[in-house]
Amino acid sequence: MSTHTPHPLDDPAADPFAIAADAAADIARLTGVESHDIALTLGSGWGRAAELIGETVASIPATEVTGFSKPALEGHAGTLRSVRTPGGKHVLVIGARTHYYEGHGVRRVVHSVRTAAATGARTMVLTNGAGGIRETWTPGQPVLISDHINLTADSPLEGATFIDLTDLYSSRLRDIARTVDPSLDEGVYCQFRGPHYETPAEVQMAKTIGGHLVGMSTALESIAARQAGMEVLGFSLVTNLAAGIQKTPLSHEEVIEAGREAEPVISSLLARVIGEL
Ligand code: HPA
């Protein structure tokens, strides 16, 4: 007999929104913060933003919250933090992303977003590290996500749930971000399944169909955020130029290192943008 506890989201009969509501109740109990206004998912390179947004009211291991899985990757801190901005807003900072390539299904990928919505958050800020297709971009540069192309052939929506995705990456919120940094460029994010990086031919395909960034997260999360009625702001950190655009091979170390170097600058940008939301 297995001693392994089944994951609540793996039961096809389970209601993922009820599990998200349970997770939100766990967060309220463990942080002492009844509800949150904004949620922020931290991707590669964005980790230090939490400290700069405001005062950390509570920090909890994600594994203590219903439905959250252990982080698959070192460097993806498995914590949830409740931060209070100087303006008095409560920000739920999610340092525990489940990636699609982990193979646990989309319900687990979007659980943090659904939980954020269940805590009351009306704004979802999604950040990631991505490969840049535009040759004028340089590693370490933050870019606003203007739209996405979902190449996972999957969706967080189940059944005949038809959700409009027009202006998914809110132009209102992008305008606010540009009041903080008018030099912010923007681009279309293509989500591939990963975990392998793309081939140069796949990057050319992404470019041809209108993509400017390639990555392995965010699009599915964003769809779930829209379904939950949240307004979405997305940022990519260009950690490298995409395969074939840069002439040298890609490595995970390079991606992590670019994130580490850019971290102080982009974290401060992100914190200032959050202060304006
Ligand atoms: N491709 C996909 N995901 C990524 C990349 C990339 O080039 N860089 C960082 N994450």
Side-chain angles (χ1 to χ4, degrees):
M1 207 176 80
S2 166
T3 54
H4 186 72
T5 320
H7 192 284
L9 286 163
D10 290 347
D11 172 3
D15 172 4
F17 297 95
I19 295 170
D22 287 348
D26 291 339
I27 290 170
R29 178 173 47 80
L30 294 166
T31 63
V33 179
E34 265 317 303
S35 75
H36 288 83
D37 306 295
I38 298 168
L40 163 64
T41 298
L42 296 175
S44 316
W46 298 91
R48 290 252 290 280
E51 296 150 33
L52 304 174
I53 291 166
E55 174 207 348
T56 296
V57 177
S59 182
I60 56 176
T63 44
E64 291 188 11
V65 177
T66 302
F68 279 75
S69 320
K70 276 208 193 65
L73 256 188
E74 222 188 306
H76 286 231
T79 54
L80 301 176
R81 278 206 215 196
S82 181
V83 178
R84 194 173 177 281
T85 67
K89 289 208 168 132
H90 294 284
V91 183
L92 180 67
V93 182
I94 302 164
R97 178 176 252 153
T98 298
H99 286 90
Y100 189 64
Y101 58 69
E102 290 171 50
H104 299 306
V106 201
R107 281 184 169 191
R108 286 218 227 168
V109 171
V110 302
H111 178 61
S112 62
V113 170
R114 289 182 172 149
T115 298
T119 70
R122 308 316 309 145
T123 307
M124 185 76 231
V125 184
L126 296 168
T127 66
N128 61 49
I133 297 179
R134 282 213 173 119
E135 293 180 36
T136 52
W137 288 345
T138 48
Q141 181 173 347
V143 175
L144 284 166
I145 302 176
S146 58
D147 204 345
H148 79 220
I149 298 174
N150 172 12
L151 297 173
T152 65
D154 212 336
S155 171
L157 309 182
E158 300 178 27
T161 310
F162 304 108
I163 301 277
D164 172 63
L165 299 182
T166 309
D167 199 35
L168 179 56
Y169 298 86
S170 164
S171 45
R172 188 185 80 84
L173 297 183
R174 277 182 279 143
D175 286 345
I176 292 174
R178 277 188 293 255
T179 64
V180 174
D181 181 355
S183 75
L184 273 171
D185 209 349
E186 62 181 34
V188 173
Y189 178 89
C190 292
Q191 180 174 358
F192 283 82
R193 182 196 181 280
H196 49 270
Y197 292 115
E198 302 71 31
T199 62
E202 286 165 345
V203 169
Q204 285 307 312
M205 175 195 76
K207 183 177 177 180
T208 303
I209 63 178
H212 306 109
L213 296 153
V214 287
M216 306 177 193
S217 65
T218 304
L220 295 169
E221 296 166 355
S222 202
I223 296 168
R226 167 58 66 90
Q227 180 188 26
M230 291 194 276
E231 199 175 5
V232 178
L233 177 62
F235 277 103
S236 286
L237 167 68
V238 176
T239 56
N240 55 281
L241 291 185
I245 307 282
Q246 79 172 39
K247 298 305 167 210
T248 48
L250 271 52
S251 75
H252 178 59
E253 288 66 37
E254 171 195 10
V255 167
I256 297 299
E257 185 50 33
R260 200 173 292 131
E261 275 177 25
E263 202 155 44
V265 174
I266 61 169
S267 296
S268 127
L269 164 71
L270 182 56
R272 280 180 292 142
V273 171
I274 298 230
E276 297 296 322
L277 299 181

